[in-house]
Amino acid sequence: MLIPSIKNSLDELIDLLKQISNTEFSKPCQLLSNSSIGEHTRHIVEMFQCLENNYESGMVNYDKRPRNILIQTDATFAISQIVTIQSLLEKENKKIELQQIIDNEEVTINSNYFRELLYNLEHCIHHQALIKVAVLQSETIFVNENFGVARSTIEYRNQCAQ
């Protein structure tokens, strides 16, 4: 269920990106503290890429990402990166160690691949919610009502509707 949920969230992001121009994609948005839809998209993409690129070594540090400007300025390129991510998600669960520097001290935490996929899904939804704030200002962009909404919230709403 986890991987289909991730693919669904990423498909929703692709559907949105197909509707906007590169100018809209890379333009700073006041509602996003002057960041752009592209910057939030790049952040989503690079977090998944970081997990993918470090799967074999089993050592993940999300702070050590390349921050590829092309992902945040070219919506078509961003879409291609998302499609690649979707095609590489299905792997065996395995031990992963997370590394991060906090207050000049290196911290290492045990995790696993599935837990990190879940983290990336929740992280993706969080950034999609921010992107939604920006695109709701446009009358020409259609946004799925569940875009940027946590899966647990969607389930809760469905139960209330019955």
Side-chain angles (χ1 to χ4, degrees):
M1 196 65 200
L2 177 59
I3 290 175
S5 291
I6 293 169
K7 288 181 178 182
N8 181 60
S9 284
L10 293 174
D11 279 340
E12 290 173 353
L13 181 57
I14 288 170
D15 290 344
L16 183 140
L17 296 181
K18 286 179 177 178
Q19 298 178 62
I20 62 177
S21 68
N22 282 338
T23 301
E24 292 170 302
F25 184 66
S26 59
K27 179 182 168 188
C29 176
Q30 187 176 9
L31 293 171
L32 298 177
S33 300
N34 289 320
S35 63
S36 66
I37 293 169
E39 287 173 288
H40 284 274
T41 301
R42 177 187 54 76
H43 191 64
I44 293 167
V45 167
E46 289 186 341
M47 295 293 279
F48 278 107
Q49 288 175 334
C50 186
L51 179 59
E52 167 62 31
N53 293 339
N54 293 286
Y55 175 82
E56 288 302 321
S57 73
M59 182 65 71
V60 175
N61 184 330
Y62 291 115
D63 294 335
K64 294 183 179 178
R65 300 184 316 276
R67 291 163 174 85
N68 184 342
I69 300 300
L70 192 55
I71 297 171
Q72 75 184 45
T73 57
D74 184 334
T76 302
F77 182 73
I79 290 169
S80 74
Q81 298 302 291
I82 294 167
V83 169
T84 299
I85 288 165
Q86 290 176 312
S87 72
L88 298 172
L89 290 170
E90 297 194 36
K91 294 181 173 31
E92 287 188 33
N93 195 21
K94 69 179 249 181
K95 181 181 172 183
I96 299 281
E97 288 189 335
L98 294 178
Q99 239 181 19
Q100 189 170 357
I101 304 292
I102 301 174
D103 297 330
N104 295 318
E105 189 172 323
E106 185 175 292
V107 176
T108 301
I109 298 172
N110 291 325
S111 187
N112 64 63
Y113 180 64
F114 290 166
R115 170 65 187 99
E116 293 309 305
L117 282 179
L118 180 60
Y119 167 75
N120 276 284
L121 172 60
E122 294 299 322
H123 184 260
C124 174
I125 291 167
H126 164 73
H127 281 274
Q128 286 176 324
L130 293 168
I131 290 168
K132 189 176 192 175
V133 169
V135 298
L136 286 177
Q137 306 306 307
S138 171
E139 295 178 8
T140 60
I141 300 172
F142 169 78
V143 183
N144 182 306
E145 67 181 288
N146 291 326
F147 184 83
V149 178
R151 296 295 175 249
S152 59
T153 303
I154 295 168
E155 288 298 320
Y156 177 75
R157 288 178 182 169
N158 289 340
Q159 290 174 0
C160 290
Q162 293 176 0

